Amino acid sequence: MIYLDNAATTKVFDSAITAAERAMSDGFFNPNATYKHAVSVKTEIDKCRQTIASAIGATGDELIFTSCATEANNWVFEHGRKSPKGNVVISAGEHPSVYEPAMRLASRGIDVRIAPITRDGKVDENAFSKLVDENTSLVSVIHVSNETGTVNPIKKLSYIVRKKAPRALFHSDGVQALLKTHERLDSLGVDLYSASAHKLGAPKGIGLLYIRRGITIAPFMLGGGQERNMRSGTQNTPYIAAFASAVQQFSAFEKNNNISDIRDELCAYFSDYGCKIVGGDNSGYILCVHFPNVKAEILQNLAADNGVIIGKGAACSGSKRGNRVLAAMGLSEKEIECCVRISLFPNITRDDVMEAAGIIISAADSIRSNNVG
Ligand code: PLP
């Protein structure tokens, strides 16, 4: 099987499984107890936090572990607004875990403004700049689109926010960007940043919220005061260990592979076949491809029958019809139905990817010749 749906989730690294197993067996103690065995588990958690922080350009005290990025995003929308009445600005390219909490604020009477995205999938900077004002309390813009891999210029947008809305907090959903864009968190100008471990070779069920030093937001979960009183609940020590281990493994593979070159070759191959590549400036990890007159769902299933797994829109909204983000980029419903998402991982080989591309093209050919697309 050649797995090319890494934007949905990734296969867990063996080293991450080993780290989790060790934390579950030798390190099973409650990290918040006071005897020495427990204290050493707490020390381990902080070492993991430090490992992740150094890899992403943060400090350990800026990272709060959560159960997933959806939790981190919900936290930001519930408690990350500078004033309860100010307006909120998001982009039209947001993942549902940002978009839906923003819509909930709108339903409570908050002025939620949606900055359009352009045909290449990026935030329209002019429109964005007009929406942000001195009454803005929170801005949230996705760093890398989970649909197309398009990278938003977060640093540039943060300047706009600082200038026009000095009191607003600036959040970015970095789930598809972390360790993939080579931008350090401390250089982005964000106050809050969400990430998820299962896109990096760790298990599902662990994520984090970066809260820049000096920024205060209210805790999301109240209770025993874990995670510096910011997120109560006994820490998921096995998955924290797996997260830190996966970050190290991912970074090591990243150094030795040139994903962007593989993606460029893939783009050229599909373009020669008559496909359109959807979205601009790319992280290198995601490719959204439009196959004219070939329904994505049929192509996805036929490719899977032939051993190649590809995606079709955000996996977590797989049950919802249409695609809000691609529609915001100006694609028609018919075009959207014919878009698949191919997403890479740093330990993938160029030969596997190109073999998969051949299988996908053969599947598209056979769908066209059977006239079922
Ligand atoms: N944000 C983006 C951009 C995503 O791609 C995803 C997952 O697909 C999420 C948020 C949600 O992450 P989690 O599964 O950790 O809740």
Side-chain angles (χ1 to χ4, degrees):
M1 190 231 291
I2 305 175
Y3 181 73
L4 299 179
D5 195 18
N6 291 285
T9 198
T10 55
K11 185 172 187 292
V12 181
F13 288 124
D14 289 344
S15 50
I17 295 174
T18 306
E21 279 172 352
R22 203 171 302 133
M24 275 189 279
S25 50
D26 303 348
F28 77 91
F29 307 96
N30 188 323
N32 309 295
T34 47
Y35 36 84
K36 66 177 183 187
H37 312 68
V39 171
S40 78
V41 175
K42 176 81 173 44
T43 307
E44 270 312 305
I45 293 183
D46 287 332
K47 263 197 218 155
C48 291
R49 201 188 308 274
Q50 196 47 55
T51 300
I52 298 169
S54 327
I56 67 178
T59 57
D61 60 344
E62 292 174 313
L63 305 185
I64 305 292
F65 289 116
T66 60
S67 68
C68 58
T70 297
E71 179 188 320
N73 288 341
N74 273 267
W75 182 2
V76 168
F77 278 78
E78 278 307 300
H79 299 299
R81 287 177 294 136
K82 268 285 163 145
S83 69
K85 290 222 173 78
N87 66 70
V88 170
V89 179
I90 64 167
S91 86
E94 299 305 311
H95 184 269
S97 58
V98 163
Y99 185 80
E100 295 300 335
M103 290 304 105
R104 183 163 62 182
L105 290 184
S107 73
R108 292 178 190 158
I110 305 291
D111 175 11
V112 175
R113 305 171 176 181
I114 304 183
I117 49 177
T118 56
R119 184 87 197 176
D120 68 2
K122 275 195 202 178
V123 174
D124 177 331
E125 286 174 36
N126 277 333
F128 174 80
S129 178
K130 285 186 189 134
L131 292 176
V132 176
D133 61 30
E134 68 280 4
N135 293 320
T136 302
S137 59
L138 173 67
V139 177
S140 184
V141 176
I142 193 165
H143 192 177
V144 169
S145 166
N146 52 291
E147 301 287 352
T148 60
T150 303
V151 184
N152 271 312
I154 295 299
K155 196 169 178 172
K156 200 166 166 198
L157 298 177
S158 81
Y159 284 128
I160 297 174
V161 174
R162 297 283 166 248
K163 219 165 120 206
K164 300 201 68 187
R167 283 176 300 137
L169 291 185
F170 185 34
H171 166 254
S172 182
D173 174 345
V175 168
Q176 301 291 348
L178 201 79
L179 300 178
K180 296 176 183 167
T181 64
H182 307 135
E183 290 167 285
R184 288 173 56 87
L185 267 183
D186 53 13
S187 74
L188 282 178
V190 292
D191 299 310
L192 304 163
Y193 195 85
S194 315
S196 181
H198 73 97
K199 314 290 182 178
L200 302 168
K204 295 149 208 53
I206 183 82
L208 62 82
L209 181 64
Y210 160 85
I211 306 176
R212 189 165 62 79
R213 199 178 271 179
I215 297 293
T216 3
I217 64 171
F220 191 46
M221 307 220 299
L222 301 176
Q226 292 89 344
E227 296 292 285
R228 293 193 292 109
N229 277 323
M230 293 302 280
R231 200 276 186 187
S232 288
T234 306
Q235 294 92 332
N236 187 345
T237 46
Y239 283 14
I240 290 170
F243 192 176
S245 164
V247 160
Q248 287 176 308
Q249 184 69 82
F250 189 101
S251 307
F253 279 129
E254 240 282 318
K255 273 200 194 95
N256 296 314
N257 206 345
N258 198 342
I259 286 293
S260 286
D261 289 347
I262 298 178
R263 186 184 178 277
D264 287 348
E265 194 172 346
L266 210 47
C267 285
Y269 187 77
F270 286 127
S271 298
D272 285 350
Y273 180 73
C275 297
K276 223 168 28 193
I277 309 302
V278 179
D281 255 1
N282 202 279
S283 68
Y285 280 86
I286 300 180
L287 183 64
C288 179
V289 194
H290 173 254
F291 281 81
N293 301 317
V294 177
K295 286 224 171 91
E297 198 165 327
I298 302 173
L299 181 56
Q300 185 187 42
N301 286 329
L302 194 53
D305 290 346
N306 289 288
V308 174
I309 310 296
I310 55 175
K312 179 184 80 62
C316 20
S317 57
S319 57
K320 290 191 183 162
R321 268 184 65 75
N323 185 309
R324 175 178 43 78
V325 174
L326 297 185
M329 290 168 66
L331 273 75
S332 68
E333 207 171 301
K334 188 157 184 284
E335 284 175 310
I336 291 170
E337 278 184 350
C338 297
C339 286
V340 295
R341 182 182 69 178
I342 294 168
S343 44
L344 309 177
F345 199 67
N347 63 358
I348 206 149
T349 67
R350 179 244 163 228
D351 289 353
D352 274 357
V353 173
M354 295 318 291
E355 184 189 334
I359 293 169
I360 296 167
I361 296 271
S362 304
D365 273 342
S366 94
I367 292 167
R368 281 211 179 110
S369 63
N370 286 322
N371 210 13
V372 290

